[in-house]
Structures are given as structure tokens and as C-alpha cells.
Amino acid sequence: MVRSTLPGGLLAVALAALAGCGDGAGPGGTTAVSLKLTDAPGDVQHAYVTITEINLTGDDGKVVLRDTPYSADLLTLAGTTADLVSDADVPSGTYAQLRFVISGACIAVENESGGSDIYTTNGYDPAPCGGPATGTLQAPSYAESGLKVVLDEGALTIVGPQKILLVDFDVEQSFGHVAGQSGTWVMHPVVTGGQIEP
């Protein structure tokens, strides 16, 4: 794992699976799934992302939890949470993957003169980060295949009256660093998720 030189906070995504339609006791039942987003304080000036889809993938295929675009400066979420998904009806079972499809992002970091350098993904509006852009932020394939969350034990089992998954998005490591003298930053999100007993 390569550590970034970019200081930042920790993005925590809490996935709360609550009792829903059916008893949720096994195959055939369903669970109401909610998703909350928060961020710890950090030194990055702006870290703005647009999430266009959140989905779970299991043996029976993909379940879309959200397909309405959500945009936010992650740093504004320090000390609070944003509800990304509320009570999505999900069939009970085991899911191997949780993915976030990120259509674009921009970051603003302090430069040596005390001003800001702004890096955006291709075609993304740099205005939320204080634009105009001074360089490129690369986010390989996250707009197509999505960002995969690494789950504890390799999978998430949604069953029973309540299940909570806490996902940590390490901003410090995730927004990379300038690649040589190219003026390009590379986004390599470090995201892990683990189940928490209610």
C-alpha cells in the first residue's frame, strides 16, 4: 500500500441494514438497507465527489441501492452525516461486493505560495473546488465499473433484524500525489468495510 503525501480525513460510510418486509431470516426475506456518509476533519481544502450509483452484487446479480447522483465536498461532512440510502429493499442473502460508481471528482490542495492547486477528473466542473483547474485528477474506471469496497471476510451477509457495515474511506491515502512533473494527481481510494454487531 502506497501512502499519499496528501493530508486528509477519514470518510466513514455506515451501512445500516434494518428489519424490513418479511422476517429477513433467510432466503426469500428482505432487509431495509440505509447508508450514511460522514467525514473526519482533515487538512485538504476541498475533496468534492459525485457518486452516481451505489450497488451490492450477490449470487443473484446486482442490487442497486441508489441511482440518483449525489455530490458533496467530503470535508463539509466532518462531524455530521449525509443519508445516501434510506430503507432500500434488499433481498436477504450474501453479497460479495459493495461498489460506488464515481462519475467525477475534484480536489483543492494548498501550494507553496499559499494559494490553491485544483485537480479535476476529465470533464468535471472545477468550480466546487474553487476552479479553474490547474491539473488533472485521474480516477481509473471508477465511472464505469465503480469503486469496490473491500469487505471483511470477503463478503457481506444481510440477514436478521439488523446488520451494520462501517466503511472507511481514507482520504489521506485515496487522493494520491502528483505523478512526476506531469501536473497529474491519481485517485486510488483506500476503502475497507467491516461488520459491526448492533
Side-chain angles (χ1 to χ4, degrees), residues 61-167:
K62 182 172 74 171
V63 176
V64 176
L65 302 179
R66 180 188 179 112
D67 59 5
T68 302
Y70 172 84
S71 298
D73 185 341
L74 303 178
L75 301 183
T76 66
L77 299 178
T80 186
T81 61
D83 293 324
L84 295 186
V85 178
S86 296
D87 298 331
D89 206 23
V90 176
S92 299
T94 299
Y95 295 86
Q97 297 180 9
L98 169 63
R99 287 183 179 267
F100 290 77
V101 177
I102 300 174
S103 62
C106 66
I107 60 170
V109 295
E110 187 174 355
N111 57 33
E112 294 179 356
S113 63
S116 298
D117 285 335
I118 298 168
Y119 302 86
T120 66
T121 54
N122 187 35
Y124 197 74
D125 182 6
C129 288
T134 56
T136 302
L137 175 65
Q138 293 182 351
S141 75
Y142 301 131
E144 290 82 32
S145 60
L147 165 64
K148 181 180 178 181
V149 177
V150 178
L151 300 168
D152 280 357
E153 301 177 0
L156 168 65
T157 300
I158 296 179
V159 67
Q162 185 176 27
K163 184 71 67 175
I164 299 173
L165 177 67
L166 182 66
V167 179

Side-chain angles (χ1 to χ4, degrees), residues 5 59 74 82 118 144 147 155 169 175 184 196-197:
T5 57
D59 292 339
L74 303 178
I118 298 168
E144 290 82 32
L147 165 64
F169 189 133
F175 286 101
T184 299
I196 298 174
E197 292 299 323

